[in-house]
Every structure is written in C-alpha cells, then in structure tokens.
Amino acid sequence: MSLRRCDCNPLLTRVDIPDLAPSFTDPTSVFNPGAVYFNNRYSLLLRVQSRGRETFLVPAHSDNGTQFNVASEVVTWRGLGKVAEQIYHIYDPRLTGIGDKLYILFAIDMERGCRLGLGVTVDYQHFDFLGIVSDWDSRNGVLFPEQIGGRYLRLERPNKPLEAGCPNSGSVIVLSESEDLLTWRQVGPVMSGRAHFWDELIGSGPPPVKTREGWLHLYHGIATHFMTSNIYQAGVVLLDLNDPTIVKARSRNNILEPREAYEQVGQVPNVVFPSGMIVEEFDDDGYGLPESRVLVYYGAADTVVAVAETTVSQLLAACND
Ligand code: BMA
C-alpha cells in the first residue's frame, strides 16, 4: 500500500484540545487539518468543533511531524469585520507557503452559500483575512506554491445542487487563475468524478506538490451508496507541470479508505479526508525528491485527526496503478 497509517493514530482527538473559553470547552471533535512545514516546524491548522457546533481554527506545532503541541488560542482573523454578511463557519483550511508568506484558503459557509476565503500569515500567530475569493459556490480550494506563466493558480471544486434537500457538492475539479490572489477566473475543468466507482464526487485534498514528473495531487473521492451513505476515500493524480488542466495519470484504486474504527465511526461515519501533506525533501530547484518521506494528515469520521506516511515515488507509482 502506498499510504501507511502511523502507529500513533489517531494523532489528535478532542481530549488533546485545551479548553479555550469562551470559544469552547470540552469540544466535540477535531478534524480536516491544513498542514505545512513552515519556519522550521511542522504546523497544522486544526478544525475544532464546539458542542455548540461552531467552528474554530486552532494551530498546532511539532518538531517531528507526529507529536504535536496544540496552541492555547484560536485563530482570530484581522480584517474579517469588513464582511457585512453573517459568516457561519470557516473550515477545511489548506496551507500553501509562497516565499515568506503562508496563505490559507478555506471554505466559508454564509447566507448565500459556500465561498472560498483567503488569509495570510507570516508568523503563524497573526492571521489576516484578505477576502472572499470566489464569486461562485465553491469548496476545497488549494493554491499552487508558485506562479505559473505569471499567474497564481488554484484548484477548486465548484458546488452544484445535487438532489433536493441535499447540500451542494460537486464532481468536477477546476483550475482557476488570478493575477493578484483576490480576483479569480475559472480556466477550465481538470478532472471529473467517475460515476459508479469509488470517486463519484470529488474534491481537492492538500495543495499540489511539484515533482519532476508533474504536480502531485491528492484528492478525496466519495462513493455515494444509493444516496444513503457517503464513503470518503483518498486518491492521487499527476498534473502537467506547465498546464495543470492536463491529467497525466490518475490512481484507479483509492489509496486510503475507511478501515480503522476511528475512520468508520464518528459524527460522520466512513470518512478519510486528506487535507494536509508535507513533503520533507526537495532538490535545489524545488522539486520533491523521489525518496522523500511524505506525511499525509487527514480528518477521520469528522471526529479526529490521523496521519499516514509514504514517499513521493510511492505516490507517483500509485498514480499509475
Ligand atoms: C464535506 C466537507 C468536509 C467533511 C466531509 C464529510 O462535504 O464538509 O468538511 O469532512 O463533507 O462530512
């Protein structure tokens, strides 16, 4: 198997989260973390859900990637007050370092639906809200770590109504571009869900990582079991370095599926949701080294955080399974 769960799993559960009154005490769950190696440490941005079902983002840091200290403060966004409309939840942050800045793309649930929001930090202590950066309903936005052809690029999964009474979701990941990170246009589709198979609905996982072979990208696929239960799994694709709308290879099988009790049982059963990926070694030109250790952080059953380990070359091989 290309992804091996760490013995330490579940990596973080609600008992690892300190009481942070007035935001929360004794929270319900912690899941879907963003992850990055930034300023010489492994850092997560945790999605913590209170018993009031409010959502908070909480930093956590580590020296080795598998033992984390959770900060005793929640992220407060400077500049968020300029949004007049009520925001219900800010969640599923995806982290991308560009130069000395760390950008955070996240989903925002608000009255008009779900939008992508963008934030930035340089020290992982002060967080600035930059704006709502999708005019359309969208989720699972992930920023590329460098400009390509003079443009910033991101992958995202626009949301469409699927069935009456069901939340919006989607089966197409698209590429979008921007000159200034704030105003975005959709360039075109990158990949679609495969009806009847493990990835009927899809959405980006962690931000893509540059390798000599192409952009390595994890995504989640959802098998919709007669619309009664959704099974969230992880897969991997390889996108062309110069034109990431071109899929060079895509795993036929999932590379991680709910098998452990902490993945199968929780507030949303049968979910592995990869949201952070840290490649430890790059060459001088910024390409991930084939033998580099890769840590994949994921939410399990919308209840706990888990981590799995692999290498760049194993993920590349899985693209062609
Ligand atoms: C998706 C998102 C994720 C969540 C998953 C399973 O639509 O809301 O945040 O982990 O559903 O509930």
Side-chain angles (χ1 to χ4, degrees):
M1 283 308 294
S2 49
L3 272 182
R4 293 170 305 282
R5 292 171 181 83
C6 290
D7 294 338
C8 60
N9 278 350
L11 178 67
L12 293 167
T13 74
R14 60 182 189 79
V15 300
D16 297 307
I17 310 301
D19 285 347
L20 297 176
S23 300
F24 54 78
T25 53
D26 186 26
T28 300
S29 52
V30 52
F31 55 110
N32 299 4
V36 69
Y37 190 77
F38 184 69
N39 289 349
N40 302 315
R41 6 176 231 190
Y42 299 78
S43 293
L44 301 179
L45 202 50
L46 306 168
R47 172 180 174 179
V48 175
Q49 187 185 302
S50 73
R51 296 176 72 133
R53 220 171 166 78
E54 292 180 70
T55 306
F56 300 90
L57 299 182
V58 179
H61 303 288
S62 168
D63 292 328
N64 62 11
T66 53
Q67 290 162 302
F68 281 86
N69 291 316
V70 181
S72 46
E73 58 198 355
V74 302
V75 169
T76 52
W77 294 101
R78 294 192 297 210
L80 190 61
K82 65 189 173 196
V83 180
E85 197 177 330
Q86 188 182 353
I87 290 174
Y88 296 114
H89 299 283
I90 288 180
Y91 61 103
D92 293 359
R94 307 315 212 283
L95 310 182
T96 301
I98 303 182
D100 59 0
K101 294 201 166 82
L102 181 66
Y103 289 97
I104 304 144
L105 257 183
F106 42 78
I108 312 181
D109 279 353
M110 47 205 306
E111 204 55 50
R112 68 182 117 150
C114 185
R115 295 289 184 276
L116 295 177
L118 182 68
V120 68
T121 182
V122 292
D123 56 11
Y124 227 100
Q125 282 190 324
H126 303 93
F127 293 84
D128 289 298
F129 176 76
L130 298 178
I132 294 170
V133 291
S134 67
D135 294 335
W136 49 89
D137 206 293
S138 200
R139 226 181 357 249
N140 301 307
V142 295
L143 191 60
F144 284 72
E146 60 185 63
Q147 294 187 40
I148 300 171
R151 311 156 300 166
Y152 294 102
L153 296 178
R154 76 178 182 212
L155 299 168
E156 62 183 292
R157 204 283 316 284
N159 295 316
K160 306 263 184 296
L162 294 181
E163 292 244 324
C166 288
N168 292 354
S169 186
S171 59
V172 182
I173 293 175
V174 306
L175 184 74
S176 297
E177 63 178 11
S178 172
E179 274 78 45
D180 61 2
L181 287 169
L182 298 176
T183 306
W184 291 81
R185 297 169 296 279
Q186 293 185 26
V187 177
V190 175
M191 56 189 279
S192 296
R194 293 180 281 206
H196 305 287
F197 297 103
W198 73 266
D199 51 355
E200 297 181 289
L201 303 174
I202 55 173
S204 280
V209 171
K210 193 165 79 164
T211 73
R212 294 271 170 199
E213 318 301 322
W215 291 103
L216 191 57
H217 183 49
L218 299 192
Y219 70 103
H220 65 264
I222 309 167
T224 61
H225 192 75
F226 296 109
M227 301 308 267
T228 58
S229 66
N230 288 333
I231 305 165
Y232 281 70
Q233 306 133 83
V236 59
V237 285
L238 192 63
L239 307 179
D240 186 83
L241 281 177
N242 297 316
D243 179 1
T245 61
I246 299 171
V247 177
K248 294 177 70 178
R250 178 175 179 178
S251 61
R252 174 178 175 173
N253 297 309
N254 73 51
I255 59 170
L256 191 72
E257 64 182 12
R259 289 191 180 181
E260 298 294 328
Y262 56 85
E263 300 164 342
Q264 294 174 325
V265 179
Q267 64 169 342
V268 183
N270 290 320
V271 175
V272 296
F273 192 88
S275 46
M277 168 163 145
I278 294 179
V279 173
E280 293 184 332
E281 294 174 82
F282 291 84
D283 67 19
D284 292 342
D285 299 320
Y287 295 92
L289 287 173
E291 296 319 316
S292 170
R293 181 166 83 137
V294 179
L295 294 168
V296 174
Y297 299 90
Y298 62 99
D302 283 11
T303 301
V304 300
V305 171
V307 59
E309 194 180 316
T310 183
T311 63
V312 168
S313 60
Q314 284 174 322
L315 287 175
L316 290 171
C319 291
N320 291 301
D321 70 3

